[in-house]
Structures are given as structure tokens and as C-alpha cells.
Amino acid sequence: MSSRLAANRLIVSSGHGGRGWLPPPLTLLADVVTPAEEARLAAQLDPPLRRRKYQRAHFDGVIEGYRELERPLGWFEPANRAALGRVLAAAFGPGPPPPLLPAHILELAPGAEGFIRPHVDHVGASGRTVAGLSLLSDAVMQLTHAQEPERTVWLLLRARSLYVLAGEARYEWRHEILPDLRLFPRALRTGLHDRADDKARRIAVVFRDELHAAEPSGPGARRAGAILADGSVV
Ligand code: OGA
Ligand code: MN
């Protein structure tokens, strides 16, 4: 895994150098949609998003400076549905995906206004996989182990990339979207210098599988639970 990380430098962990732990199993795929598909998705999502005002803080205190929608796959126009079908195959494997919640469309305000504090997605609300497609601009996701916060992993979420948090990464690590691209480790920001450091407007399309009856009592659920406003997990 580390050679792959070193090769593309989209995932960086504080454990490099042999501190004796591995990042959680993660998937981060670049260019899962084309620029034309990105533009078409954004064109369909833009009007309903713009009808909403940016909210200051999410009801649970985790998300700041955002507006959001939920839309079932059937709402998307056919070309967008086709692109999202490929995204789902990349996230969940070939064949029909598991039963999914409606897509969660989350727009973060540009600059430091829009960010997401450390949290574990509510284990009582969705299943073991969270898959997010990033559109329009790059952002930095930080993952921190819930019990051992010195274990930290940064993901550079490029526009048009897909991340998948499943199992350990979904239940035992907190994730957050940082307010500033400069927080991605400086030495590794090659390729970012041609962009503004400030985060630009970003839309994420996040897919979550439905909760299975067995999951709330599964091993992950015992170790990580609800989201608290201070980012802690109970
Ligand atoms: C969330 C979340 C990440 C993203 O909505 O719970 O973590 O990619 N979103 O915007
Ligand atoms: Mn989340």
C-alpha cells in the first residue's frame, strides 16, 4: 500500500517512517467521472442548491457553511444516472449496489466558511459504507483514529475523485473536511501550487447503504457511535 501512496500522493499518513501502524483500508480513486460529466452533474444540482441559503451550522454541529439536498438516483437525468452508476460500481463493486439511502448532496461554502468537523457518520442511520464523489474543486479530508488520535491520515479529494470509507475506516476513524487546502501536508502539495490555496465551492455527492438489521450490534458499532458537536464519538 505504501508504494501506491507514495506514487500518487493523494493519501498521506502520519505513520510513514515506521511508527508501527497502517492507515485503515481506504479507497480513493481519481477521475471517476469526466470533466463533461462533472459539468452535467453540477448543472443539474446547481438550481436546487442555489434556491437554498448556506446554513451556518448543521443540527448536530458538525457541518459549517453548507447547503444540502437528498435525491434518489431516479431523480437524476439519464446521462447523470449513467455516470453515477459507474461511480456506484467503483464504490460497491460490479452488479447491483446494496439498497442505498437517497444520495446526499452537500455543498460547502467556498473558503474557510465551509468545513466539516471530525465525526463518525451516525451508525444508526446508515450501513458500513460511505462513498463520496467530489465535484468542482479539491478539498482535504483528514481521518483520525477515534481512540488513538496520533494516527492521522490525509486524503486529497480532487475534483472528480471518489473516496470510499468502509468497515474500519467508517466506524473506527473520524473524518473531517478541512477549511483550507493549505492544511494538506505542505511537502506533498505538488500539483496544488497552480491552484488558489483557498478552498473553492465544492459539491459532494455522498452515497450510503441502508442500515442492515444486524449492523447496530456489530463490532464496529460498539467501538464508535453517535456524533457529538465537539467531534467526539460516544
Ligand atoms: C458527511 C461528510 C464529506 C464530504 O456529510 O457526513 O462527511 O465529502 N461529508 O463532503
Ligand atoms: Mn461524514
Side-chain angles (χ1 to χ4, degrees):
M1 187 159 185
S2 47
S3 59
R4 205 184 81 222
L5 303 187
N8 63 25
R9 294 187 161 194
L10 291 175
I11 304 177
V12 180
S13 84
S14 65
H16 284 186
R19 278 183 232 169
W21 61 271
L22 290 171
L26 285 168
T27 301
L28 177 58
L29 299 170
D31 297 316
V32 291
V33 296
T34 65
E37 288 170 330
E38 175 188 41
R40 192 157 185 157
L41 279 163
Q44 188 179 5
L45 294 171
D46 203 48
L49 284 169
R50 282 191 195 277
R51 281 197 289 274
R52 290 165 162 73
K53 287 197 159 62
Y54 286 118
Q55 307 289 305
R56 291 303 318 159
H58 202 254
F59 68 92
D60 53 14
V62 170
I63 311 183
E64 284 284 342
Y66 73 98
R67 43 197 183 190
E68 65 185 351
L69 308 166
E70 284 189 346
R71 291 290 183 270
L73 215 48
W75 173 82
F76 288 89
E77 60 183 54
N80 286 338
R81 223 179 299 151
L84 293 176
R86 287 196 345 264
V87 170
L88 290 174
F92 293 96
L100 298 172
L101 300 178
H104 175 203
I105 294 123
L106 179 67
E107 178 188 338
L108 290 180
E113 304 281 293
F115 64 96
I116 306 181
R117 295 194 176 86
H119 67 284
V120 172
D121 280 24
H122 192 344
V123 298
S126 70
R128 69 187 307 277
T129 303
V130 178
L133 171 68
S134 298
L135 300 174
L136 300 184
S137 73
D138 302 339
V140 177
M141 176 178 277
Q142 181 172 324
L143 287 150
T144 308
H145 192 275
Q147 264 78 51
E148 297 171 55
E150 67 282 4
R151 296 204 214 172
T152 306
V153 180
W154 294 273
L155 273 55
L156 181 56
L157 304 180
R158 295 243 189 232
R160 301 181 298 282
S161 72
L162 172 73
Y163 64 83
V164 185
L165 307 178
E168 180 189 336
R170 184 253 189 272
Y171 290 113
E172 297 177 26
W173 295 67
R174 298 172 183 159
H175 58 276
E176 63 191 290
I177 300 284
L178 301 178
D180 192 325
L181 287 175
R182 275 168 286 219
L183 296 168
F184 193 68
R186 174 167 286 280
L188 299 165
R189 283 169 52 234
T190 45
L192 281 180
H193 58 270
D194 54 333
R195 293 151 200 262
D197 278 325
D198 285 340
K199 208 164 63 37
R201 181 177 181 228
R202 166 178 185 267
I203 298 175
V205 182
V206 182
F207 292 101
R208 299 181 178 88
D209 53 337
E210 286 179 3
L211 189 65
H212 284 216
E215 270 160 357
S217 58
R222 281 200 296 275
R223 283 195 288 269
I227 306 158
L228 297 183
D230 67 355
S232 58
V233 178
V234 293

